[in-house]
Amino acid sequence: MAPFMNAEELVVTLAPVSVYWVYAGIYELLLARTTVLDKYRLHSRRDEETKNIASRKDVVRGVLLQQTIQVAISVAVLKLEGGHGAAANDTDDSLAAPAAEPFLVVAARFGVAMLVLDAWQYFMHRLMHSVPYMYRRFHSWHHRVAAPYAYAAQYGHPVDGVLTETLSGAAAYLASGMPPRAAATFFVFATVKGVDDHCGVAAPWNPLHAAFRNNTAYHDVHHQRGGGRVNFSQPFFVVWDRLLGTHAPYALRQRHGGGLEVRAFNKDRQMQ
């Protein structure tokens, strides 16, 4: 009898979850046990205690629930779609594996997946803020963490998580035509990027901050008071914010008492 899931499908569904906790755990360990990141912190521990409505226990429970739903939907998509030609029912390790696609083809699929993921998440995210019922009932959960930290990246109401995060991933996977191995790499990368955008640390040597303008400081503007009308783009580019007038520039400044603070500019380029 063939197993319910082959190795590739297991990696696609479980690797992003594992990487989420490992990468977020590294940030938490460095912040709790060392001072190496202190001068780049956007929020102090005091900020996290006073500004955040959701407790850390609530965040852990919420993220685990969201990830359980995410895994279930991922399995369903993989089974219904058939793994883009992967031999899902092939359990004979002696058979030759499918030929790897050329690098440029894989890169193109990655690009398509990034664009689809960004577009879906921008418009769904903006919708969540534009419809009062959707914000109050669903998306406000995510904003209970006003001073973001790494493992709160996927915290939110399960409905919001499915509509914004999980379905955007399914759309990116189907639209790009990525085989499972490439999809696993893409979703791990997207997971790392999402954690990084919420880590609350704006280290100048972070390669993701150098490569993407949509980064920790950019998304921090959105979590600030009054920031719910700007900087909806996530997780890669800022193009939709720029095209549709929701882009808010910002400046990083030294915070009194240590660390950094993000100061957004309004439309007249005045610092808020």
Side-chain angles (χ1 to χ4, degrees), residues 235-259:
F236 299 116
F237 310 114
V238 301
V239 60
W240 290 110
D241 277 324
R242 288 188 176 277
L243 288 174
L244 298 179
T246 54
H247 177 266
Y250 63 88
L252 277 173
R253 300 175 58 180
Q254 295 292 323
R255 185 178 66 239
H256 179 71

Side-chain angles (χ1 to χ4, degrees), residues 254-265:
Q254 295 292 323
R255 185 178 66 239
H256 179 71
L260 301 171
E261 64 177 350
V262 179
R263 301 295 299 273
F265 292 91

Side-chain angles (χ1 to χ4, degrees), residues 41 44-52 56 147 149:
R41 292 186 67 150
S44 65
R45 286 290 186 187
R46 178 66 176 166
D47 288 338
E48 294 174 4
E49 294 171 358
T50 59
K51 294 181 179 180
N52 293 341
R56 286 182 174 255
Y149 50 89

Side-chain angles (χ1 to χ4, degrees), residues 111-145:
V112 170
M114 292 171 76
L115 292 174
V116 171
L117 193 75
D118 255 36
W120 185 297
Q121 292 202 10
Y122 174 87
F123 288 103
M124 185 57 67
H125 189 188
R126 187 169 181 179
L127 181 66
M128 286 285 176
H129 279 273
S130 301
V131 179
Y133 174 80
M134 296 184 76
Y135 181 81
R136 288 195 309 269
R137 187 69 180 86
F138 306 128
H139 191 61
S140 63
W141 283 38
H142 184 66
H143 284 270
R144 292 176 184 177
V145 182

Side-chain angles (χ1 to χ4, degrees), residues 107-260:
R109 294 191 190 282
F110 259 66
V112 170
M114 292 171 76
L115 292 174
V116 171
L117 193 75
D118 255 36
W120 185 297
Q121 292 202 10
Y122 174 87
F123 288 103
M124 185 57 67
H125 189 188
R126 187 169 181 179
L127 181 66
M128 286 285 176
H129 279 273
S130 301
V131 179
Y133 174 80
M134 296 184 76
Y135 181 81
R136 288 195 309 269
R137 187 69 180 86
F138 306 128
H139 191 61
S140 63
W141 283 38
H142 184 66
H143 284 270
R144 292 176 184 177
V145 182
Y149 50 89
Y151 66 83
Q154 292 182 4
Y155 173 69
H157 191 284
V159 172
D160 185 9
V162 169
L163 294 177
T164 306
E165 301 282 346
T166 306
L167 292 185
S168 66
Y173 172 68
L174 295 172
S176 65
M178 289 186 293
R181 290 181 185 178
T185 303
F186 173 76
F187 288 125
V188 164
F189 176 53
T191 297
V192 168
K193 185 66 172 61
V195 169
D196 213 65
D197 289 348
H198 291 83
C199 70
V201 177
W205 37 260
N206 186 325
L208 292 177
H209 294 177
F212 296 95
R213 297 196 176 191
N214 195 337
N215 52 38
T216 305
Y218 186 85
H219 193 64
D220 191 78
V221 172
H222 179 73
H223 276 264
Q224 294 177 4
R225 179 178 298 180
R229 298 184 296 273
V230 296
N231 291 16
F232 298 106
S233 291
Q234 58 184 43
F236 299 116
F237 310 114
V238 301
V239 60
W240 290 110
D241 277 324
R242 288 188 176 277
L243 288 174
L244 298 179
T246 54
H247 177 266
Y250 63 88
L252 277 173
R253 300 175 58 180
Q254 295 292 323
R255 185 178 66 239
H256 179 71
L260 301 171

